[in-house]
Amino acid sequence: MNKVVVRVWALLLAILGLGIAAYKIYYMGLPITPQQSAEVWTVQARLVFQGQGGPAKVGFHVPDVTPGFIKLDEDFISSRFGLVIDKSQDNRRADWSVRRAKGEQALYYRVIVSRSEQEQGWNSVPRYPTPPQYEEPYASAIHAILDDVRKESADVGSYTRELLQQLNAKQPNENVKLIRDRAGKGDSWVEQIIEILKGVRIPSRVLWGLRVSDASNSAVLEPLLQVHNGQKWLTYDPESGAMGIPSNFLAWKIGNQPLFELEGGKKAKLEFSITKTYEELIDIARQGAVQMDSVFADFSLLTLPVQNQNVYRLLLMVPLGALLVVFLRTFVGLKTFGTFMPILIALAFRETQLYWGLFLFTVIVSLGLMIRFYLERMMLLLIPRLASILVIVVILMVLISLISTKFGAERVLSLTLFPMVILAMTIERMSIVWEENGAKEAMLQGLGSMFVACLGYIVMTNEQLMYAMFVFPELLLVVLSLCLLMGRYTGYRLSELRRFRAIVAEDK
């Protein structure tokens, strides 16, 4: 297989891995660094009424489309009531019902939201309204205002903005004053604007929502004006004329129908309370992905049990250690005992910590090497000799642990986490290299193994890398592509440049 095919495979793997990671970051909102937190609001609606002893039914509008926010969770709390969720165009409604309701009854709706950059909108397309028959003297005033606005606008958006500017002018003319005196403030003012817009057949409606804050027990729904320009709904502040939905505005319902309807009860009272907390961004993104029914949420490592997550946090770092070994051996020419033995030693360093790990590894290998040289005189076969070294390694580990306990060095007890077979094989290979190539070569390979193990420990204990590999395991495809590319390298290593420096000097 030629280099082109390998490079194509490497490129495809890298694009696939990076593409999935980019999707998770930009679409699902997964943070690229650990321990990032974000604001989370819990909004609770409490509806209390007096039951009259018979059947009771309550219809309550709950949020559906929430631009600027993502719903992380929602609860409908009602002890004896049956619950049905119904969706109609851009509204969603919860219908509670019970056979007998006597005395005070309380229903709760709770929604947890966080900010989101995802675009959400309303898809309904309204019909053009029929121009109403205004009564005098308001008819003359409204037509005069509409004529003025039409001259200074080009489309639905600019028409609405110009109309709001004239209606909310600090120094209004006589026509605007007349309209203001009749409408007043709040929802009646929005209703008046909608009535005026009907005169030019612009579809419009009221958007009700809550302004989320740090904490509030008396939040009330506020109205915004929406007009349809033939393609989408545009939102305006009816009093300031500002276009767009405010960043702290949580959309609750559309239209002027009552927020709740009660049958079989009386003295209904509705209260909204809001509180703000902070939550880790990765949890928010995970819950958001579940709400969006993303396939990556179903196949995320975050869905595994905690003990399994911890196992994979460790396993996913091994390929990074292997990539480090490939780089050092391919481009630097560093010699080690075995290909991935230093990585296994580095894994043991995670438990013993680096300095204790280096000390214990050096002590065991040194003692084991001396005993191995003595065994050489017995002329043992290979397998019994390896088994003997393994037994000796275990005996050394036991002795070191017992002695360290006497001196109160508890850290040395983590010696048991060293891979015994790897230690035995290291002693065996080091002794063979010592006999065949001399002590210098054996020491060089031993120091090379220790150096790679130290670098592997630094890489595999890096919190940022551990987080990235666990949350974005598709980066393994990128690691694989780098291994493929390095596998076709046929140039000089750094150590070879030093080795052949005399030849290079002669060529010059």
Side-chain angles (χ1 to χ4, degrees):
M1 192 174 291
N2 56 40
K3 285 186 177 181
V4 175
V5 176
V6 176
R7 289 173 180 172
V8 169
W9 270 110
L11 180 62
L12 290 176
L13 290 171
I15 292 176
L16 181 61
L18 293 174
I20 296 175
Y23 172 86
K24 288 184 174 180
I25 293 171
Y26 294 106
Y27 185 75
M28 296 174 60
L30 287 176
I32 58 176
T33 58
Q35 298 177 348
Q36 290 187 32
S37 60
E39 297 172 323
V40 173
W41 287 271
T42 300
V43 182
Q44 176 178 282
R46 179 174 181 266
L47 177 61
V48 180
F49 66 93
Q50 292 291 329
Q52 296 176 319
K57 296 169 61 178
V58 178
F60 180 64
H61 284 88
V62 295
D64 183 22
V65 179
T66 55
F69 292 91
I70 183 169
K71 287 186 288 186
L72 303 178
D73 195 11
E74 62 179 354
D75 298 302
F76 301 84
I77 305 170
S78 53
S79 58
R80 299 181 298 107
F81 284 74
L83 174 65
V84 176
I85 308 298
D86 187 25
K87 189 175 187 308
S88 175
Q89 291 191 342
D90 292 331
N91 278 321
R92 199 161 64 108
R93 173 171 154 150
D95 288 311
W96 283 286
S97 59
V98 66
R99 179 66 62 181
R100 288 183 176 277
K102 185 176 182 180
E104 183 175 289
Q105 307 292 323
L107 303 174
Y108 294 87
Y109 169 74
R110 183 181 302 154
V111 61
I112 301 175
V113 298
S114 179
R115 294 194 188 281
S116 173
E117 300 295 333
Q118 300 169 33
E119 293 186 1
Q120 300 183 56
W122 294 271
N123 299 319
S124 62
V125 179
R127 292 183 295 181
Y128 290 103
T130 302
Q133 297 294 324
Y134 304 113
E135 59 181 16
E136 291 295 350
Y138 303 105
S140 300
I142 291 174
H143 288 304
I145 294 172
L146 292 178
D147 290 340
D148 291 341
V149 172
R150 185 180 292 109
K151 296 175 185 176
E152 300 178 8
S153 61
D155 53 19
V156 172
S158 59
Y159 190 99
T160 306
R161 178 173 292 183
E162 180 62 26
L163 175 64
L164 292 174
Q165 286 182 355
Q166 291 203 15
L167 293 178
N168 295 290
K170 292 182 179 179
Q171 296 181 347
N173 56 34
E174 294 299 326
N175 294 326
V176 173
K177 285 182 179 178
L178 183 64
I179 300 298
R180 283 188 185 181
D181 292 341
R182 185 175 75 162
K185 295 287 186 181
D187 55 336
S188 59
W189 177 237
V190 181
E191 283 300 314
Q192 184 62 66
I193 297 173
I194 292 174
E195 195 67 13
I196 294 174
L197 288 172
K198 288 180 181 177
V200 288
R201 304 200 66 189
I202 294 180
S204 56
R205 64 185 186 183
V206 185
L207 168 64
W208 294 90
L210 292 170
R211 292 186 186 272
V212 295
S213 57
D214 292 349
S216 174
N217 289 326
S218 57
V220 295
L221 293 179
E222 299 181 17
L224 293 180
L225 173 68
Q226 286 195 316
V227 298
H228 199 272
N229 64 356
Q231 298 177 342
K232 62 180 181 180
W233 288 99
L234 307 176
T235 306
Y236 297 87
D237 188 314
E239 296 185 0
S240 67
M243 185 177 178
I245 300 176
S247 60
N248 63 340
F249 189 87
L250 174 63
W252 199 275
K253 80 179 190 74
I254 302 290
N256 276 332
Q257 62 273 40
L259 180 59
F260 67 89
E261 295 176 350
L262 172 63
E263 294 181 16
K266 60 182 181 179
K267 298 181 179 179
K269 183 180 180 182
L270 178 64
E271 295 177 338
F272 286 100
S273 58
I274 303 172
T275 183
K276 185 177 75 172
T277 57
Y278 291 88
E279 192 171 331
E280 286 194 12
L281 196 55
I282 189 170
D283 291 334
I284 296 174
R286 181 169 55 84
Q287 295 175 47
V290 172
Q291 294 290 329
M292 292 186 293
D293 294 329
S294 172
V295 66
F296 291 104
D298 297 331
F299 293 96
S300 171
L301 292 175
L302 296 169
T303 60
L304 297 177
V306 175
Q307 59 269 31
N308 295 89
Q309 291 187 26
N310 293 333
V311 172
Y312 280 104
R313 284 180 195 276
L314 178 61
L315 289 182
L316 289 172
M317 297 306 293
V318 175
L320 285 184
L323 181 66
L324 176 67
V325 172
V326 172
F327 175 80
L328 292 176
R329 293 186 66 124
T330 304
F331 294 99
V332 181
L334 201 63
K335 296 179 180 178
T336 61
F337 290 124
T339 305
F340 299 117
M341 183 274 289
I343 300 305
L344 297 176
I345 298 298
L347 287 176
F349 286 170
R350 286 170 51 91
E351 304 298 333
T352 62
Q353 302 302 312
L354 182 59
Y355 298 119
W356 275 108
L358 284 172
F359 172 74
L360 295 172
F361 181 80
T362 304
V363 169
I364 292 176
V365 171
S366 300
L367 294 175
L369 193 60
M370 287 189 288
I371 297 174
R372 165 66 177 80
F373 284 138
Y374 184 77
L375 292 177
E376 183 65 24
R377 298 180 183 179
M378 299 181 183
M379 307 295 288
L380 301 176
L381 296 175
L382 176 61
I383 303 302
R385 189 176 66 203
L386 287 175
S388 300
I389 295 174
L390 180 62
V391 172
I392 291 170
V393 167
V394 174
I395 293 174
L396 290 173
M397 294 171 68
V398 171
L399 289 176
I400 292 175
S401 295
L402 292 174
I403 295 172
S404 61
T405 303
K406 294 293 182 183
F407 290 96
E410 297 182 357
R411 175 65 68 179
V412 184
L413 293 176
S414 55
L415 172 69
T416 54
L417 297 171
F418 267 118
M420 294 174 293
V421 176
I422 295 300
L423 285 172
M425 293 302 297
T426 302
I427 294 170
E428 174 66 15
R429 294 198 59 172
M430 191 170 184
S431 66
I432 293 175
V433 173
W434 193 300
E435 293 173 354
E436 294 180 351
N437 302 320
K440 180 181 178 182
E441 182 65 20
M443 294 301 294
L444 284 176
Q445 291 193 22
L447 292 174
S449 298
M450 297 291 285
F451 178 71
V452 175
C454 292
L455 290 181
Y457 170 80
I458 295 173
V459 169
M460 290 190 289
T461 55
N462 184 283
E463 288 190 5
Q464 178 62 52
L465 289 176
M466 290 179 65
Y467 169 82
M469 294 303 297
F470 183 74
V471 178
F472 308 103
E474 55 277 357
L475 294 179
L476 287 176
L477 298 176
V478 181
V479 174
L480 177 58
S481 69
L482 293 175
C483 289
L484 293 179
L485 290 176
M486 287 191 285
R488 298 293 297 211
Y489 178 73
T490 56
Y492 287 106
R493 301 181 177 93
L494 289 177
S495 58
E496 291 174 338
L497 293 177
R498 182 177 179 277
R499 178 183 177 186
F500 299 116
R501 63 184 183 281
I503 300 176
V504 176
E506 288 178 1
D507 292 339
K508 291 181 178 178

